[in-house]
Amino acid sequence: MRGRRRARRTAVLIFLTWVTVNVKKRNSPVKTKLALPQVWSVSRVGGGERGGARCGVVYFYHVPKTGGTTIARHLIRNGGCFNFFGRLQEYKWEKDVERLHELFEQVNSKAGSRFCVHHHHAGPMLHEFLPQLREWRAKLEKKGCTMLLATVLREPYKQVLSELAFNHISRESLGDWLIKHQSVQTQYLIFNHLEYYIGSTPFRNGTTQTKTGLTLTFSINRNRTYIIEAKRVLDEFDLIGTTDCLHAFAARLDQFLGRNVTSPKHENKTPQRQFIAWDASELKKVVTNVAFDQELVNMCRTPNKKCVCVM
């Protein structure tokens, strides 16, 4: 009898030891080969989950005062995103290109990997960076993956009024500000931030030329080259959202990335108290200022497969 009891106790102890060891293994953090922080990491998920792409990259180009901060912070909260921007005149975007090369190399159809990039102020001039984006897109497609180049546009009149309020532009400085910020969305699609670009490339005799052969001047609204080139840049995009339809746009990005679809929280909204009651003559200047932007957003005024919603 005593021998049987000892045998039972031994069996119970062995069983309890096995359970304890396996529970610890299950609860221990999973080690990953990636040494990059979470916001730079490539998420690995099963192909086609929640209707998303099997593998690929969301490249979000953030045009100011369109709701881009709402989208960017939503992406970061909902799984992480590589921030490809920094402080004007300080950020050296070249140093991060190698990190992006590494991330793009890690994406492959077998692993079912996806990640996103947030390109904003002080990042590379988009017109000059397009060849690199095309190269990354081609490499992804060879691996059976996809790039989703996405941005958000806004009704131009509302966008520029929001810019004026956000930047605390007074009546006295309105004229000078409008000269420098003509058709902001058109300008941003080509340059990224104009102040940053001018700071690194001096204009001689009122003009300068980019690496891609585009001749630039300060008088944006007097030179149709700008709107022609901005439309060409926009043609490269796969998905265009609008400020009044951010929830639907965010849902499309979440689905592509295989993440849970959640509603974004509105971020960085310009306080109403900062808006000025401009008079009729001032508002006329504002309307004239956004002439090219009106042309730019026309593509989303009618049903378009690239546009998430109609303006």
Side-chain angles (χ1 to χ4, degrees), residues 43-100:
S43 61
R44 301 187 183 281
V45 290
E49 286 185 16
R50 291 187 284 274
R54 177 170 175 76
C55 56
V57 177
V58 164
Y59 195 100
F60 175 56
Y61 189 70
H62 176 178
V63 177
K65 303 316 297 176
T66 60
T69 302
T70 294
I71 296 299
R73 291 182 183 173
H74 171 76
L75 290 170
I76 291 169
R77 277 195 302 266
N78 200 22
C81 203
F82 184 100
N83 281 327
F84 194 27
F85 72 96
R87 294 177 66 86
L88 297 176
Q89 307 299 345
E90 294 179 10
Y91 177 63
K92 304 300 181 185
W93 58 264
E94 293 86 353
K95 66 182 174 62
D96 277 338
V97 172
E98 287 305 314
R99 293 173 182 172
L100 283 171

Side-chain angles (χ1 to χ4, degrees), residues 171 275-279 282:
R171 283 194 158 86
F275 284 80
I276 291 177
W278 305 102
D279 62 34
E282 291 165 335

Side-chain angles (χ1 to χ4, degrees), residues 211-250:
K211 296 174 184 176
T212 47
L214 178 63
T215 299
L216 309 175
T217 67
F218 279 122
S219 302
I220 293 175
N221 284 337
R222 299 177 188 175
N223 184 349
R224 286 202 60 80
T225 300
Y226 285 93
I227 184 59
I228 292 168
E229 292 301 322
K231 286 180 177 179
R232 286 177 180 168
V233 169
L234 201 59
D235 282 342
E236 302 265 348
F237 281 77
D238 306 292
L239 192 67
I240 302 168
T242 58
T243 306
D244 294 331
C245 202
L246 291 179
H247 285 71
F249 180 75

Side-chain angles (χ1 to χ4, degrees), residues 1 20 98 144-145 158 208 274 280 294:
M1 288 293 289
T20 303
E98 287 305 314
C145 303
K158 292 180 180 179
T208 191
Q274 291 179 204
Q294 293 288 359

Side-chain angles (χ1 to χ4, degrees), residues 50 74 78 247 250-255 258-263:
R50 291 187 284 274
H74 171 76
N78 200 22
H247 285 71
R252 291 283 292 274
L253 302 186
D254 287 339
Q255 289 166 356
R259 299 173 177 179
N260 291 320
V261 176
T262 58
S263 296

Side-chain angles (χ1 to χ4, degrees), residues 148-168:
L148 189 72
L149 185 55
T151 193
V152 176
L153 298 179
R154 186 176 186 179
E155 181 63 50
Y157 185 68
K158 292 180 180 179
Q159 192 275 341
V160 75
L161 288 179
S162 182
E163 281 252 27
L164 290 168
F166 185 78
N167 291 294
H168 301 278

